[in-house]
Structure formats: structure tokens, C-alpha cells
């Protein structure tokens, strides 16, 4: 039966730091380390590192695999290619994966027997939501947005939903007309959307403490 698992980490304390712990970086694949070195902003590099660590943590705890069984390959302009024991994590034998981060918040979604797409966004006070809406939303979506009593919340609900849907369809190789379920959460200062083929009652989520994620080790 299709189901989803979601892990959320408040990594703001870690992201605010200035150095990258060598032991944590060493758990990344060579292509991941190469990409990590290309980030110009330390915050983005540390978010990227946490996202890839959370991806590994989620898989290890969901299916009981070892850290060294997980292989992650970078794909320019697309989500990373994840495999476990040489087999693709594509929602068939192994869970499909999707990760996102914003302003220090990190999320990882797994889809058991289904594809997933996840997006998390933290509202930024100086962001011009009107201009973004004009660029990213259809006329129908802008009309809906203008009718909402809480426009900022509605903006992020729509923004996250479109991004999660895009990831879901890209991961599954499907068009955006494919039937799907879209879950939205607004809590703790962030907005989060999960797009999946799994029914709402088969969706489970949990917060993971930052210190627990940072304990991840090859042993």
C-alpha cells in the first residue's frame, strides 16, 4: 500500500555556523563534496550538507539499510539519483526520495511504493510577494490569491504546492494532470507542501532533533 514518511529538522543553529565539520562532509559522495565546494554562501553549503545527511538518516531508519549501502549521484538541474545496494530508490523496491530546505529548515520525504515531491519555505519579510505572484502564478491562481483573507499564508500555500507538484511530476516522469494528493502544513514559522500519490491517511511525519541528525556516523 502506498505511504509516505516525512522528517523535518530545525537546522538554523547549525546553518548559522561558519565551518563545515570534516566528519560530516566525509559521509558525502565525491560528486556531493564537489558540489558542496561550489556554494558561495556558507549558509547554502550548510543547508545542502544537512539535507544530504537527513536523506541518509531517513533511508537508514525507514528501511534499515547501512550508510555505506546508500549511493547518491548528482544530476545537473535535477534531483539527485539515489540508490541502495545498487538499486534505484524510485518508489518500487526502495522508497522514492525528495528533499528541500529554506532558511535553516530541512525536510526529507520518502514514498513507499509511490513517488513524492516536497517543498519547504520560510517567509522572508522583505520578499516582494506581489511581483513573485505575477511571475509564477497563472491568472486564475492570482485571482484566487486576491480573494484570500490571509494573502501571505495563501501565497506560500500555492507557492509550495506548485513546487512540490513540479518535483513529484519530474521524479515520476509524469505530466501535471496526473492524479495526486497535496498535503500542506503551516507551523513553526514555515510552510511545507508534500505532493504524492498516497492517500492522506497514509502520510506520517515527525520532527527530528538537530543533535540526533548530527550524530549520524558510518558506524
Amino acid at each position: 500500500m502506498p505511504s509516505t514518511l516525512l522528517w523535518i529538522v530545525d537546522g538554523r543553529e547549525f546553518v548559522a555556523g561558519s565551518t563545515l565539520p570534516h566528519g560530516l562532509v566525509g559521509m558525502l559522495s565525491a560528486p556531493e563534496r564537489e558540489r558542496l565546494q561550489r556554494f558561495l554562501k556558507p549558509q547554502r553549503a550548510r543547508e545542502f550538507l544537512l539535507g544530504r545527511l537527513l536523506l541518509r538518516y531517513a533511508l537508514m531508519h525507514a528501511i534499515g539499510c547501512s550508510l555505506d549501502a546508500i549511493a547518491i549521484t548528482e544530476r545537473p538541474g535535477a534531483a539527485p539519483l539515489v540508490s541502495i545496494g545498487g538499486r534505484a530508490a524510485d518508489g518500487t523496491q526502495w522508497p522514492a526520495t525528495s528533499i528541500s530546505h529554506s532558511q535553516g529548515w530541512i525536510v526529507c520525504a520518502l514514498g513507499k511504493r509511490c513517488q513524492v515531491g516536497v517543498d519547504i519555505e520560510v517567509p522572508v519579510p522583505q520578499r516582494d510577494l506581489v511581483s513573485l505572484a505575477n511571475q509564477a502564478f497563472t491568472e486564475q491562481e492570482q485571482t484566487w490569491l486576491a480573494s484570500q483573507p490571509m494573502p501571505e499564508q495563501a501565497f506560500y500555500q500555492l507557492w509550495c504546492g506548485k513546487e512540490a507538484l513540479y518535483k513529484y511530476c519530474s521524479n515520476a516522469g509524469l505530466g501535471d494532470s496526473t492524479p495526486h494528493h497535496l498535503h500542506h502544513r503551516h507551523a513553526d514559522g514555515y510552510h511545507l507542501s508534500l505532493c504524492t500519490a498516497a492517500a492522506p491517511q497514509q502520510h506520517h511525519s515527525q520532527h527530528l532533533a538537530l543533535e540526533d541528525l548530527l550524530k549520524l556516523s558510518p558506524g
Side-chain angles (χ1 to χ4, degrees), residues 62-141:
I63 63 176
C65 67
S66 63
L67 183 63
D68 59 8
I70 302 170
I72 301 178
T73 304
E74 292 298 304
R75 294 187 294 179
L81 181 64
V82 181
S83 62
I84 303 166
R87 295 198 175 188
D90 58 5
T92 53
Q93 178 179 356
W94 302 125
T97 67
S98 183
I99 53 179
S100 181
H101 50 75
S102 176
Q103 304 295 318
W105 285 93
I106 318 295
V107 61
C108 176
L110 300 184
K112 291 186 175 181
R113 302 190 182 281
C114 65
Q115 277 293 344
V116 289
V118 70
D119 186 60
I120 190 169
E121 293 288 340
V122 174
V124 178
Q126 63 269 29
R127 185 173 290 171
D128 188 345
L129 301 187
V130 174
S131 294
L132 288 174
N134 290 336
Q135 296 172 19
F137 298 161
T138 66
E139 183 176 340
Q140 182 179 4
E141 290 167 342

Side-chain angles (χ1 to χ4, degrees), residues 9 27 49 53 73 91 102 110 118 120 140 142 146 154 175 184 190:
V9 175
M27 282 185 274
L49 175 59
L53 294 178
T73 304
S102 176
L110 300 184
V118 70
I120 190 169
Q140 182 179 4
Q142 292 183 52
H184 185 80
Y190 64 78

Side-chain angles (χ1 to χ4, degrees), residues 116-117 164-178 180 195:
V116 289
L165 175 60
Y166 173 80
K167 290 183 177 181
Y168 167 76
C169 292
S170 296
N171 291 340
L174 303 170
D176 60 10
S177 61
T178 303
H180 60 274
C195 189

